[in-house]
Amino acid sequence: RVRAAVDRGRSSEGARGGRRATMGVAASAAAIAEAAGPADAHSGLRVGYRVLQVQRGSPGEAAGLVSFFDFLIAANGTRLDEESDLFGRMVAAAVAAGDALTLDVYNSKAAAMRTVQLRPAPGESWGGTGFLGLFIRFDTYVGAHGNVLAVSEVEAGSPAAAAGLRAGEDWLLGGRDGAFDSPAALGEWLRARLGRVGVPLYVYNRERDGVREVLLDLSVATDGLGAVVTHGKLHELPNTHTRGHTEYAVTAPAAPYPPPPPAAAASAAVP
């Protein structure tokens, strides 16, 4: 079950109604640019490649890239403002020459730009897949700061509780195929994965100021996640720059992550 709460009260339509989800569908560059509107003071830097996953030990992790919050805006001074093979060709050229790429990165959480050095390398040299160890998707950063779901209640014995989700501290960001832009999108995403074990979900935690990957056990879930999530202006993320590290789950945790003190555990679990 996914119950949704909005700024002006509770809504029962979260998982089974409301606006249709678009996550996982790559919109065209023209459509994204049109939705983003006119250019802003930063030369129209409203689109780029959103970092969805950063593999452990990868060149992307070494460069401090952050899952879901970072957007690759430019490489070596060339604007990445359309979906094409340009970036892939630049990566291949850098590998052949043994050079690093200079990336302009926009962080939607901090609402700030930064420059990083990213040195591509074959996967066998760092133990992963690809030259960068990234999964990226062309997207707009307009509204990205608000496309998160705050966890306000976690039901005891639910998949959410088993995965260590924490009420009042955690925000759900998305899966490996895209971000959640509404409770309805989360509900649709969960329904497509019922019966599965080890379903990756990316979560931001306010206390640790970091992103972590949790693995959901939906093998026995007949009614979704077992949590109440909130969405809207009153539930957006704190406006800080998150550290460049994602904590990845190896196996589904048997206890909440990190283990809360007894009093906190009792108050966080809502039957």
Side-chain angles (χ1 to χ4, degrees), residues 234-259:
L234 298 181
H235 310 288
E236 290 184 353
L237 294 164
N239 192 24
T240 58
H241 186 85
T242 302
R243 59 193 175 86
H245 176 68
T246 301
E247 299 177 13
Y248 290 99
V250 177
T251 58
Y257 171 96

Side-chain angles (χ1 to χ4, degrees), residues 42-137:
H42 297 287
S43 302
L45 302 186
R46 292 174 179 264
V47 295
Y49 285 96
R50 186 174 199 163
V51 176
L52 294 179
Q53 182 187 7
V54 184
Q55 294 182 47
R56 187 194 302 273
S58 67
E61 184 182 57
L65 295 177
V66 183
S67 299
F68 280 88
F69 298 141
D70 277 348
F71 290 75
L72 310 184
I73 300 299
N76 292 345
T78 299
R79 183 72 174 86
L80 302 174
D81 56 0
E82 61 180 359
E83 189 173 16
S84 70
D85 65 351
L86 172 63
F87 185 51
R89 289 188 281 110
M90 295 180 73
V91 170
V95 171
D99 293 335
L101 290 169
T102 300
L103 300 180
D104 294 332
V105 180
Y106 177 78
N107 186 275
S108 62
K109 183 168 173 289
M113 292 284 294
R114 73 184 190 279
T115 300
V116 303
Q117 294 293 310
L118 177 59
R119 186 174 295 278
E124 57 267 22
S125 69
W126 54 270
T129 304
F131 293 137
L132 304 179
L134 302 176
F135 184 79
I136 58 177
R137 176 183 175 219

Side-chain angles (χ1 to χ4, degrees), residues 177-200:
D177 51 355
F180 302 140
D181 60 2
S182 68
L186 171 61
E188 184 174 313
W189 184 84
L190 287 168
R191 285 194 297 274
R193 290 159 178 79
L194 289 179
R196 300 184 188 178
V197 179
V199 178

Side-chain angles (χ1 to χ4, degrees), residues 68-69 109 144-152 154 164-174 180 186 201-214 225 228-240 242:
F68 280 88
F69 298 141
K109 183 168 173 289
H145 186 73
N147 287 344
V148 293
L149 304 175
V151 178
S152 61
V154 175
L165 295 185
R166 311 224 23 207
E169 293 184 15
D170 282 344
W171 278 260
L172 307 185
L173 305 178
F180 302 140
L186 171 61
L201 174 69
Y202 291 91
V203 181
Y204 168 78
N205 182 267
R206 178 183 60 197
E207 299 304 316
R208 300 174 71 90
D209 193 24
V211 177
R212 74 185 190 274
E213 179 190 65
V214 303
L225 189 62
V228 176
V229 298
T230 54
H231 181 252
K233 277 288 184 183
L234 298 181
H235 310 288
E236 290 184 353
L237 294 164
N239 192 24
T240 58
T242 302

Side-chain angles (χ1 to χ4, degrees), residues 29-41 43-47 79 140-143:
I32 290 176
E34 182 179 358
D40 60 13
S43 302
L45 302 186
R46 292 174 179 264
V47 295
R79 183 72 174 86
T140 175
Y141 70 67
V142 175

